[in-house]
Amino acid sequence: MNDLEGLARLIRYFSLVSTTEAGSGHPTSSLSAADLMTGLMFGGTFRYDLDDPLHPNNDRLIFSKGHASPLFYALWAATGEVSGKELMTLRKFGSPLEGHPTRAFRYTEAASGSLGQGLSVGVGMALNAKYLDKLPYRTYVLLGDSEMAEGSVWEAMELAAWYKLNNLIGIVDVNRLGQRGETMYGHDLSVYKSRIAAFGWETIVIDGHHLPQIRTAFEQAARSTDKPVMIIARTLKGKGVSFIEDKNGWHGKALKKDELERALDELGPGDSELRGTVPRPEDRRPPATPSRMATPLSYRADKPVSPRHAYGTALERIFPQFPDIVVLDAEVSNSTYSEIFRNRFPKRFFEMFIAEQNMVGAALGLSLRGKIPFVSTFAAFLTRAADQIRMSQYSSANIKFCGSHAGVSIGEDGSSQMGLEDIALFRTILGSAVLYPSDAVSTERLVEEMAWHAGMVYLRTTRKDLPVLYRNDEAFWIGGSKVLRSNRKDRATVVAAGITLHEALKAYDELKKAGILVRIIDLYSVKPVDVATLRHAAFETGVIITVEDHFAEGGIADAVRTALSKHPVPIHALAVRAMPKSGKPDELLDYEEISWKAIVEAVKQVKG
């Protein structure tokens, strides 16, 4: 049996001395949850193989209140897995013990610190355990009371209840004080209890500093049969040190050395050699699923197909080859056509409803448990989850995004539905790939490339049925492009993707009638971009014209400019520059001056 009181004192000691050594950090936020986390990790319900953080049946622990990272590292120090010397590297350059947890630290499940996201990640991990891997591990998420104001927390709560995730346990550290003062409800735990219960969760209200209550609460939570559980704990910020306990103005402030001495005197003598034990999990692993080759493509050249439809067909076709695929959609699967996959493989599909932030967070959780999540909704609505997408990069996520209904070419639905910022958003993500296919064949091949690729990938799909441009056996790869029209006498190069590629091909035919030859490049990989092909075209034709159904900032034109920054060449960008409105697709392409007519005019102007 672990000495919980002694371990809690030791963990407070570690949290205080490490932040004072660093000269920064959040010791008061760590002290408030120290008893809660001691009771969890060392009370007997949490199971973890300390020698194997990657064991598939380890319980998962996510610090959604990532600023309490000194506590997080102190917990592992109390197991003996982090040395005192390593603990003193907190927040120092090159240390894995960063200011907020990242995957550089071997026991971190997911990077955290942008509040309101950890519970969604926990939803993904719990979905994986219950419905995919069929493993008994539990996922625990520590939340702060301040972040309970974030809508994404409640998105996660309603979905967890919908899927009956009784293996998901949240802990709200209600310490009353946020960064600048009291939180919305202070210490009124009845508000948290009623609201969380209304979302379909079992609630357990406790004194977050009473170790027997804490231990009993975790034992009760582990017995839940059909609901997720939220432990709502009344705590005091800075608990254990009188001059900072429940005092405003200490958030994010480390104690000075003389203050640390006073604090340690108040904590009293402890056993610095004390270490806690954590029971190991059952050695259970998910069943191996054999893979087999995907079937070949069979598109007809005389039958137009929308890229969004090809996306759904591709998922269904390649799943046997990639059995770790799981598909998530935000209640638009009959428009993104992920319903094709859902109808064939319903147990690998999760309806996430219209809650895009939680959908992305859950996808991260699934990714971190070894799945290949494909996430789809309208391109415009992925921007709603920009912070979740941004945070996923810090966990080295392997998420595949599909944004359909992109650009003004969607037509009558109007500007609110037109994804016009999506390429820019995904291009900014470190190490991401951004793909923009122009027909059914390229869409299917690029979906397959997405599944092979390790990392975050965004695929932009067009709503409209488009002619099939490529043979069924055509090869595509991330970082490539296709030159569709080329001649030694080309007077300009037109770079396009998606629907504007078809406009460029119409412009080519019209210009050819006037004796003007232009090169046409399908820039289906917007990031990474095919620098060699662009450079060669710039050298041979002397001018580049980009045309895209996207705002001018951050899209194809900027990708081309960056690629050719060391090779000066005139680059003329046709993009969405006027305020979009409802209308027929062709009317809108003309209105935004990205249609074949505008391309013809642009070529004539730049070449005189």
Side-chain angles (χ1 to χ4, degrees):
M1 181 70 68
N2 285 312
D3 175 5
L4 295 184
E5 288 189 4
L7 286 166
R9 187 181 300 112
L10 177 67
I11 286 165
R12 283 191 166 88
Y13 168 81
F14 283 150
S15 299
L16 289 169
V17 298
S18 62
T19 49
T20 296
E21 174 67 21
S24 64
H26 297 77
T28 56
S29 299
S30 298
L31 297 185
S32 67
D35 296 314
L36 287 167
M37 292 298 98
T38 300
L40 169 61
M41 183 166 281
F42 302 109
T45 54
F46 187 78
R47 300 183 179 277
Y48 199 95
D49 186 343
L50 296 172
D51 297 325
D52 185 9
L54 299 179
H55 194 293
N57 200 35
N58 281 340
D59 286 342
R60 326 316 305 183
L61 175 57
I62 299 167
F63 266 48
S64 190
K65 54 172 284 182
H67 55 281
S69 61
L71 168 61
F72 184 62
Y73 305 136
L75 288 170
W76 298 103
T79 69
E81 295 300 317
V82 174
S83 69
K85 181 178 179 181
E86 184 178 10
L87 202 61
M88 293 303 105
T89 68
L90 173 69
R91 288 177 162 248
K92 290 182 170 58
F93 182 76
S95 171
L97 279 58
E98 301 194 50
H100 291 75
T102 70
R103 297 274 287 175
F105 180 61
R106 56 195 176 279
Y107 294 109
T108 301
E109 296 291 343
S112 61
S114 185
L115 293 174
Q117 299 191 25
L119 195 60
S120 294
V121 179
V123 166
M125 292 185 171
L127 285 170
N128 178 72
K130 184 165 186 172
Y131 294 106
L132 301 175
D133 285 352
K134 308 293 179 66
L135 292 175
Y137 73 79
R138 299 185 187 94
T139 299
Y140 297 87
V141 182
L142 176 66
L143 302 111
D145 50 351
S146 286
E147 70 179 302
M148 298 300 286
E150 288 279 9
S152 53
V153 173
W154 301 92
E155 286 185 9
M157 269 198 269
E158 62 183 351
L159 196 89
W162 171 260
Y163 280 108
K164 296 180 168 48
L165 297 180
N166 59 312
N167 57 352
L168 178 63
I169 300 166
I171 308 106
V172 186
D173 176 19
V174 186
N175 64 22
R176 189 182 73 83
L177 292 171
Q179 180 167 325
R180 60 90 193 97
E182 189 167 75
T183 57
M184 190 179 293
Y185 300 111
H187 269 144
D188 190 349
L189 271 62
S190 64
V191 175
Y192 293 102
K193 177 179 172 62
S194 61
R195 292 188 176 200
I196 293 168
F199 272 72
W201 284 55
E202 180 181 341
T203 57
I204 304 171
V205 178
I206 63 170
D207 176 348
H209 299 305
H210 190 269
L211 284 163
Q213 273 192 44
I214 293 167
R215 187 171 180 178
T216 299
F218 284 118
E219 290 171 352
Q220 180 182 338
R223 293 193 295 269
S224 178
T225 58
D226 65 348
K227 289 182 178 181
V229 179
M230 189 69 76
I231 296 171
I232 305 165
R234 186 186 190 278
T235 65
L236 296 176
K237 201 163 186 174
K239 173 66 175 177
V241 179
S242 62
F243 60 89
I244 60 174
E245 185 177 297
D246 202 30
K247 301 287 197 304
N248 192 28
W250 281 94
H251 182 89
K253 292 183 180 179
L255 301 185
K256 296 181 174 64
K257 289 188 177 181
D258 61 323
E259 294 169 335
L260 175 64
E261 290 179 8
R262 289 173 55 199
L264 295 182
D265 284 343
E266 288 194 20
L267 286 181
D271 182 358
S272 62
E273 301 302 316
L274 180 66
R275 295 295 180 267
T277 59
V278 179
R280 290 174 180 265
E282 298 176 65
D283 191 17
R284 293 174 59 176
R285 299 172 186 274
T289 306
S291 63
R292 60 182 188 274
M293 293 299 296
T295 57
L297 303 185
S298 57
Y299 287 101
R300 290 167 41 187
D302 62 343
K303 186 178 181 181
V305 179
S306 68
R308 63 175 172 141
H309 191 280
Y311 167 74
T313 302
L315 290 176
E316 178 195 31
R317 184 180 65 85
I318 70 171
F319 175 69
Q321 188 173 358
F322 301 96
D324 286 329
I325 283 177
V326 57
V327 176
L328 291 72
D329 198 281
E331 207 187 296
V332 288
S333 59
N334 58 340
S335 289
T336 63
Y337 282 103
S338 67
E339 69 173 6
I340 297 172
F341 180 92
R342 180 202 65 197
N343 293 340
R344 179 76 182 280
F345 304 109
K347 293 182 178 180
R348 307 291 300 193
F349 179 92
F350 292 104
E351 177 58 70
M352 304 304 285
F353 302 97
I354 303 175
E356 294 86 1
Q357 295 180 78
N358 179 61
M359 177 170 67
V360 174
L364 174 58
L366 287 161
S367 165
L368 293 171
R369 301 311 316 135
K371 301 303 176 287
I372 307 173
F374 277 78
V375 173
S376 53
T377 187
F378 290 7
F381 306 146
L382 282 170
T383 60
R384 187 186 298 256
D387 193 29
Q388 281 75 8
I389 294 167
R390 177 189 72 89
M391 282 298 297
S392 293
Q393 71 186 318
Y394 301 119
S395 292
S396 302
N398 188 32
I399 306 175
K400 320 303 175 183
F401 295 93
C402 176
S404 72
H405 293 65
V408 300
S409 58
I410 70 167
E412 291 88 344
D413 278 350
S415 56
S416 69
Q417 311 298 295
M418 298 171 176
L420 292 164
E421 311 87 356
D422 52 316
I423 293 176
L425 167 63
F426 282 96
R427 281 186 64 231
T428 65
I429 302 300
L430 188 66
S432 67
V434 179
L435 309 174
Y436 191 5
S438 300
D439 77 340
V441 172
S442 57
T443 301
E444 288 237 18
R445 293 300 183 199
L446 291 174
V447 170
E448 193 168 348
E449 289 297 305
M450 292 168 77
W452 281 116
H453 183 77
M456 293 172 65
V457 187
Y458 175 60
L459 182 83
R460 191 182 212 230
T461 60
T462 303
R463 179 183 192 179
K464 188 178 181 181
D465 287 346
L466 297 174
V468 174
L469 298 174
Y470 297 104
R471 303 185 314 272
N472 284 300
D473 61 354
E474 188 82 21
F476 290 80
W477 56 91
I478 293 174
S481 67
K482 297 287 182 182
V483 180
L484 297 187
R485 302 288 187 273
S486 179
N487 190 286
R488 287 179 299 175
K489 297 180 180 179
D490 290 336
R491 297 171 61 184
T493 296
V494 178
V495 177
I499 196 164
T500 59
L501 179 66
H502 296 268
E503 297 298 309
L505 291 171
K506 293 176 189 174
Y508 172 88
D509 292 337
E510 191 68 20
L511 289 164
K512 188 177 181 180
K513 293 175 186 175
I516 302 172
L517 294 176
V518 294
R519 190 161 302 181
I520 307 294
I521 294 178
D522 176 1
L523 200 72
Y524 65 79
S525 181
V526 182
K527 180 189 176 185
V529 72
D530 185 352
V531 178
T533 297
L534 290 173
R535 186 185 304 163
H536 183 70
F539 175 77
E540 289 199 340
T541 68
V543 63
I544 301 284
I545 299 170
T546 62
V547 52
E548 58 188 308
D549 194 0
H550 184 275
F551 283 140
E553 295 78 15
I556 290 174
D558 279 357
V560 172
R561 288 191 187 101
T562 300
L564 298 178
S565 60
K566 295 181 181 179
H567 306 276
V569 62
I571 299 174
H572 302 268
L574 304 182
V576 175
R577 299 180 186 275
M579 182 63 71
K581 57 183 69 179
S582 294
K584 299 292 183 184
D586 289 345
E587 291 176 322
L588 289 163
L589 294 174
D590 282 337
Y591 171 70
E592 296 292 351
E593 298 183 346
I594 56 173
S595 69
W596 69 268
K597 299 171 188 174
I599 298 170
V600 168
E601 184 61 28
V603 170
K604 290 180 177 179
Q605 285 184 4
V606 300
K607 299 310 291 185

